[in-house]
Amino acid sequence: MSHECSIVEDLLPLYKTKGLQADTTDFINQHLASCKHCQQLAASKLSSNQNLSMKSTLTFFHLVFIVLSFMFALNSSLLGNHKSFVALYALFGCLTYLFYKNIWIVFAISSIPVFVWAIINNFSNPLYIKNFSFLEMSSLIVGASYIALLHTIFALLGSAFAIILRRF
């Protein structure tokens, strides 16, 4: 194994993801054409790491954001007559986007907890549910969806601010 082999071995993960400059890619291609050891290494590394990018793990920070979203849903809601939910959800959407860099995650984290909270909160309220009829249950779901949508709009406005902020 030569000095070039160790360099190629270190660069193979970036080579696989096409994260190298053209000159470096040409160097690796030339080396792989002449070195059987590195060809085998590249074949084994490329096949063993194919599904690595598809794996997703739940980290501590993911859990923190999910817990925060439930706390915001419980403490700063339109249903609780708190007007601060507008600013809090915009800030929350901005921070969530800056952390995840994915608008769909902002949408999910800002809408699902509010939707679940609105259903649970109103399900036990006799003003909303009296007979457990299909009409009452469907109106409960529509109302919870509407409240979740309102909160999500402010979170998405905050994430739009984060997108603009990242461009500068």
Side-chain angles (χ1 to χ4, degrees), residues 2-164:
S2 70
H3 179 67
E4 286 183 359
C5 291
S6 62
I7 293 171
V8 169
E9 184 178 350
D10 289 343
L11 293 174
L12 279 177
L14 292 172
Y15 177 78
K16 175 196 163 266
T17 60
K18 299 180 176 40
L20 297 173
Q21 293 182 6
D23 292 341
T24 309
T25 303
D26 291 341
F27 166 75
I28 291 176
N29 287 333
Q30 289 173 0
H31 182 80
L32 289 176
S34 63
C35 181
K36 297 290 183 195
H37 171 73
C38 288
Q39 288 173 2
Q40 292 173 349
L41 189 62
S44 68
K45 281 202 176 201
L46 292 178
S47 64
S48 67
N49 290 337
Q50 275 180 335
N51 296 328
L52 194 59
S53 64
M54 297 178 76
K55 290 182 181 179
S56 177
T57 59
L58 189 65
T59 66
F60 174 74
F61 295 109
H62 293 99
L63 292 174
V64 167
F65 270 97
I66 292 168
V67 168
L68 281 176
S69 66
F70 274 101
M71 286 174 46
F72 279 135
L74 296 174
N75 293 326
S76 64
S77 174
L78 179 66
L79 290 178
N81 292 326
H82 296 282
K83 304 300 183 230
S84 63
F85 84 95
V86 173
L88 287 175
Y89 266 84
L91 178 64
F92 182 67
C94 180
L95 292 175
T96 305
Y97 184 81
L98 289 174
F99 184 76
Y100 288 108
K101 295 171 186 60
N102 187 330
I103 199 76
W104 293 108
I105 293 176
V106 174
F107 178 81
I109 287 180
S110 63
S111 64
I112 293 171
V114 175
F115 178 78
V116 170
W117 176 81
I119 286 182
I120 291 170
N121 189 43
N122 292 329
F123 190 75
S124 61
N125 191 340
L127 293 174
Y128 294 101
I129 303 292
K130 294 179 183 175
N131 300 326
F132 293 100
S133 68
F134 176 75
L135 185 59
E136 287 179 344
M137 297 304 260
S138 61
S139 66
L140 176 69
I141 291 172
V142 168
S145 300
Y146 177 71
I147 290 169
L149 178 67
L150 284 176
H151 286 73
T152 304
I153 287 171
F154 294 113
L156 292 176
L157 287 173
S159 62
F161 178 74
I163 290 170
I164 292 169

